[in-house]
Amino acid sequence: MSINFRSFFRCEDGTITFDWVVLTGVILGTGMAITGSVTRGIESASLGTTSQLRGQVIRQSFGADLCSTGIDGLRDREAARIASGGSDPVDIADWMATYGDTLSDMALLSERDRLVAANRGIPNWTRNKTIQSLMECSMTRRGLG
């Protein structure tokens, strides 16, 4: 029996396999640690980028007809509507802070669709077009596109 132990300890056939197993384990562990660190960093960066881009969209990227110069442009259009004899002015800041934030996403989308249909074919700027624009601004701010 002692001959078998001596032969076992002198044999080097399995040492390469053992080295590769240890080396592979170290490489896998390092890869998993790096992946965890990178994932947390990417998530953090994407959340910051998302909030910055939403602000940019609201300020700069509205469609050509509605809210084309952002909230300030919408205020100017509403002021021009009232100056030309329109009635029942819409307070842009108040609407965004109260009514726009109280609607659920589904209610906002369905009400906006209703106003789009009602405003189709009307050439002049109306109170409903102002409200439709405000809803689209709220949708963009919420990321509803």
Side-chain angles (χ1 to χ4, degrees):
M1 182 123 148
S2 66
I3 297 175
N4 288 339
F5 279 120
R6 233 180 281 153
S7 170
F8 176 75
F9 284 115
R10 286 186 191 162
C11 180
E12 296 181 8
D13 289 342
T15 57
I16 299 294
T17 303
F18 180 76
D19 290 344
W20 278 105
V21 167
V22 170
L23 184 61
T24 302
V26 168
I27 290 172
L28 286 174
T30 303
M32 290 169 62
I34 290 171
T35 301
S37 297
V38 169
T39 301
R40 284 188 295 277
I42 289 173
E43 287 173 359
S44 173
S46 69
L47 290 175
T49 303
T50 299
S51 65
Q52 288 177 356
L53 287 177
R54 281 193 181 149
Q56 290 296 322
V57 167
I58 289 173
R59 286 189 298 273
Q60 298 175 0
S61 321
F62 287 104
D65 283 31
L66 302 170
C67 213
S68 60
T69 55
I71 300 299
D72 292 333
L74 188 55
R75 281 189 186 112
D76 293 343
R77 279 192 163 176
E78 181 63 8
R81 181 184 74 80
I82 297 302
S84 67
S87 62
D88 198 15
V90 178
D91 183 346
I92 305 298
D94 184 53
W95 193 96
M96 288 294 279
T98 57
Y99 189 71
D101 290 339
T102 61
L103 291 174
S104 69
D105 290 351
M106 288 301 295
L108 182 65
L109 290 169
S110 67
E111 183 64 15
R112 192 279 318 245
D113 290 344
R114 184 189 70 75
L115 286 173
V116 166
N119 291 331
R120 194 167 285 129
I122 298 175
N124 299 342
W125 192 261
T126 64
R127 183 177 197 282
N128 279 344
K129 284 188 178 182
T130 299
I131 294 173
Q132 176 186 339
S133 295
L134 285 167
M135 288 182 173
E136 290 172 350
C137 292
S138 292
M139 289 169 49
T140 304
R141 192 178 75 195
R142 294 182 192 186
L144 298 175

